[in-house]
Every structure is written in C-alpha cells, then in structure tokens.
Amino acid sequence: MMKAEPKASFERRLALFGATGSIGRQALDVIERQGGCRVVLLSTGSHADELAELALRWRPEHVTLADENGYAKLRESLTGTGIRIDAGTDAAAEAAAEDDYDISVNGLVGVAGLMPSYHSLRRGIDLALANKESLVLAGDLLGRIAERNGVCIQPIDSEHSAILQCLQGEKIEEVARLILTASGGPFREWSVNRIKSATVAEALAHPTWKMGRKITIDSATLMNKGLEVIEAYHLFGVPPDKIDVRIHPVSIVHSMVEFVDGSFKAQLGTPDMHLPIQYALNFPTRQPYKLRQDDPVNWPALEFEEVDKDKYPCLGLAYRVLESGGTAPAALNGADEAAVERFLAGEVEFGDIYNLVKAALDEHSILAVDDMETVLEADYWAREFVKKLEL
Ligand code: MG
C-alpha cells in the first residue's frame, strides 16, 4: 500500500475564514509554528481593526469583511499594501468561490460559514472545518459533493478530531458506538430550576474551554453537543442510535469509540484547540508541537456521568431533528442562533432557549433537501420565527 504523502511538505495556499475568532487565531499560531502554508485569504465578520492588524502581519492577497461599515477603515489601514479588500455579506462566499487556494480553514461562526464550505468542496478543495453549522445544515449535501470530488473534510472540533484519531486503522463496521464527551458547562451541579433563570455572565463562564460567546452558551445548554452529534453522524456515517454523549467535567478525554468486541479507544490530553487544528492541517501525518508539555500525572481524576435530560433538554432536540431529517436540522440551527441572541440581549431567560427552539421545530414544515437554497430558507424561517415569538 502506498503511504500518504505528508501534506506539509510543499507550501499550500491557505484560505482562512473566521480569521479574527478563537479558531482563526489559533490556526494562525499553528501555521506560524510549523510553516508549510502561505495564507492567501483572511476573512472575517465585523472586526475590521483586528483584520487589518492580521493582514499587515500575514500579507495575504485578499481580505474580506462581512460588515460593510468597516470597509473604509480597513482600506485606510491597508493603503499601499496591494492587498485586495472586499466587504459585504457575500464577500467570504465569493472569495471561497473564486480565489486561488488549495486548503480552506473554516472557523466562521454560524450559518455564515455554510457557503464558504460549499464552494471549497464544490471546487474539490480540502476543508478543515470548525464551522459545525455547515454539516448541521447541509451535511448530506456537502457529504455527497465532497465524495464526488474526492476531497476530505477534516474536523476541527476536539471531539471529532478525537474520534477520527481513534478510528485510524479501524473499520467503521466494527464500531459499536461513538461516545462524545461533554464538560457539562457551568450548570452541571445546579438544580433544574436555578438553571432556567441563569444570567448571561453565569452562562458565559465555561469551566474548561475558552471559546466564542455563541458556542459557550450552546455548551451551557448542551445544544453544542447536540450539534456535534449531528456533525459526527455526517463525518463518520454512524447512525444516531450509535452516538452517545457522556458528561466528563474535566475535558481530558476528548471523545471515545467503543468497538464491537467491547474495547474502547479514547484520545486524551489537557484541553488545547491547537492540537485538533494541527491534526486537521497535517492529516494523516503528525507534526511535533514543541510548546506542549503535558503529563498524565497532572491530570485530574477522569469521571463520567450520564446526561441529565431534565437539565439539558436541548440535546434531545438534536436527536429529534436527525430522526426527522430534511430541513429539520437547519431549522434547529436557525432557531438556536436566534434564541441565543435573544438570551444574550437579555430578552429571554436561559431556560427559554429550549422553549423557543422547540416551538420553532413544532411549527416547522419539513422539506426534503436537494439544494443550498432550501436549507438556507429553513434556517431563515426558524430564525425569524424565534425572533418574533412572544413568550
Ligand atoms: Mg467541540
């Protein structure tokens, strides 16, 4: 059998979507440390100042900003650099569709990440994917496009990276189940009633991972884990009844696979997103990570708990939409994004995130998915429904 060539042995042209976010910045750390990539595109949502600072340092060929209000400032900051600047909600998708690059890292948050993923895969370009909404909204469609074009989707999510690592050298038919671990967020030891009226600050205080606001709230409701169940289903082709979630408060075991003979494999380490990013960029090889010093003697005891469904009702909604199929997962995503926004704006209580999403799913007419427009419309419908719903 031919050995896979290490991909970092030649300089790849890398497009980075979500450059100023948590994943984007850590991806740049990894790229800086290991070399092998030229960053040709930096794309972000609304942080014009931070994008300008990154552009001056990395000298890409092209930068895009979703928020047009930042265009003038960005142009002024980049005067004389020769870097092309585009702004507008479609700028990232257009760059993904037209620019010359051969690997894409998608760390955008939310539905904004969908079209960049689509264009990368449609053009046969490898995709390192942190934007879980891409697979949640359009996993079947994107999976078919990736397969047809012979491209890989490499997960940048600690759980899916762990599972991918556990599956190396194994047969998917010999998997009994995948076990995604969840820290349980800040409310694991709270009563069901207290959780319902938790404040924004309390919900944002994640015990083990430092992440963006949307994903931190989703971690507190466990909706994030629900989205990850959907993601795992699409990435690994394992049916939902063989995907379990266990609470593991210290986040040392990043996920596990149980095989048909009763053996378990897990991937472990002190939480650090640089590792899954680096694994995704170098798959199937590994590169040294010199800054890392980790030793099991420093780890806390590894404990696991079942998920309390009363504390975390959102997780059940994810299994429900997988069962329903079609546009149901897209509706879940749109409803959740809008519900989290309303919670962060102080309009609704923490417990209402579940109530709003469930109401949207109860009301949604599920359609079969044959194109991107259908999923985007379902996402949009659910978003508008949740925005307007009076509780
Ligand atoms: Mg994760």
Side-chain angles (χ1 to χ4, degrees):
M1 206 171 130
M2 292 261 294
K3 274 215 170 122
E5 280 293 315
K7 287 188 175 176
S9 61
F10 61 95
E11 195 173 70
R12 287 185 297 173
R13 295 171 58 81
L14 183 140
L16 178 56
F17 298 91
T20 59
S22 164
I23 294 293
R25 287 184 175 273
Q26 293 180 84
L28 290 171
D29 288 347
V30 170
I31 293 161
E32 182 168 48
R33 204 163 51 223
Q34 70 170 40
C37 285
R38 162 147 170 64
V39 177
V40 294
L41 171 75
L42 291 172
S43 172
T44 195
S46 60
H47 297 102
D49 286 339
E50 292 175 46
L51 181 61
E53 172 210 313
L54 289 177
L56 289 172
R57 175 140 177 247
W58 286 87
R59 298 293 171 140
E61 293 163 7
H62 189 188
V63 294
T64 73
L65 186 69
D67 177 11
E68 286 177 33
N69 295 324
Y71 178 76
K73 205 199 269 174
L74 189 58
R75 198 180 53 183
E76 195 190 319
S77 307
L78 299 182
T79 305
T81 58
I83 298 170
R84 179 180 159 198
I85 304 164
D86 282 303
T89 45
D90 294 331
E94 281 166 14
E98 289 160 18
D99 283 12
D100 173 19
Y101 62 98
D102 45 40
I103 180 168
S104 165
V105 174
N106 188 345
L108 287 167
V109 177
V111 67
L114 179 64
M115 293 314 281
S117 291
Y118 167 73
H119 287 299
S120 297
L121 296 173
R122 180 185 61 75
R123 296 174 63 195
I125 297 169
D126 284 346
L127 174 64
L129 184 64
N131 175 259
K132 55 193 70 174
E133 293 81 359
S134 294
L135 290 175
V136 170
L137 267 81
D140 286 331
L141 207 54
L142 292 180
R144 285 200 296 273
I145 295 169
E147 202 177 321
R148 191 167 65 223
N149 293 331
V151 296
C152 292
I153 302 176
Q154 296 299 334
I156 299 184
D157 203 344
S158 59
E159 294 79 1
H160 305 83
S161 179
I163 288 170
L164 181 66
Q165 293 179 56
C166 293
L167 290 175
Q168 294 310 299
E170 305 288 353
K171 295 189 181 78
I172 203 77
E173 317 80 85
E174 292 173 358
V175 168
R177 60 177 170 152
L178 309 180
I179 301 176
L180 299 174
T181 52
S183 71
F187 306 141
R188 188 174 57 86
E189 288 172 324
W190 289 29
S191 69
V192 173
N193 270 332
R194 191 175 162 210
I195 291 173
K196 284 182 179 159
S197 54
T199 66
V200 170
E202 287 165 339
L204 285 174
H206 195 274
T208 52
W209 293 98
K210 196 175 176 307
M211 305 171 291
R213 282 159 67 91
K214 160 72 167 54
I215 188 172
T216 303
I217 300 300
D218 279 347
S219 297
T221 59
L222 242 65
M223 182 63 91
N224 181 55
K225 209 53 52 179
L227 301 179
E228 288 179 355
V229 167
I230 300 172
E231 214 183 345
Y233 164 77
H234 291 297
L235 283 168
F236 305 113
V238 171
D241 63 349
K242 290 185 173 180
I243 306 174
D244 278 341
V245 175
R246 292 290 178 268
I247 303 283
H248 172 51
V250 294
S251 303
I252 295 289
V253 173
H254 299 139
S255 276
M256 296 183 249
V257 179
E258 183 187 2
F259 295 92
V260 289
D261 60 359
S263 184
F264 286 78
K265 275 169 82 174
Q267 187 262 336
L268 298 84
T270 298
D272 179 353
M273 279 309 291
H274 292 97
L275 276 174
I277 293 168
Q278 184 167 310
Y279 190 73
L281 289 178
N282 295 291
F283 183 85
T285 64
R286 290 183 185 272
Q287 295 293 318
Y289 181 178
K290 293 196 185 76
L291 299 180
R292 188 167 172 84
Q293 286 181 319
D294 200 2
D295 191 310
V297 297
N298 299 321
W299 294 347
L302 306 182
E303 289 172 347
F304 300 90
E305 296 164 15
E306 295 227 42
V307 176
D308 180 337
K309 294 194 169 79
D310 295 327
K311 276 188 190 174
Y312 303 109
C314 286
L315 182 61
L317 296 178
Y319 283 95
R320 170 178 157 181
V321 300
L322 261 185
E323 180 103 349
S324 310
T327 50
L332 174 85
N333 181 72
D336 178 57
E337 280 189 36
V340 170
E341 263 172 41
R342 289 189 69 179
F343 170 67
L344 286 171
E347 286 176 35
V348 299
E349 294 212 307
F350 184 79
D352 290 330
I353 296 174
Y354 167 77
N355 296 330
L356 288 166
V357 176
K358 181 176 179 297
L361 293 179
D362 289 346
E363 199 64 28
H364 180 60
S365 310
I366 300 167
L367 297 173
V369 172
D370 294 311
D371 52 46
M372 283 297 162
E373 263 170 32
T374 310
V375 288
L376 285 169
E377 274 166 22
D379 176 276
Y380 181 77
W381 173 87
R383 207 173 281 268
E384 292 301 303
F385 178 86
V386 165
K387 274 187 202 165
K388 289 174 198 150
L389 192 66
E390 306 248 359
L391 288 170

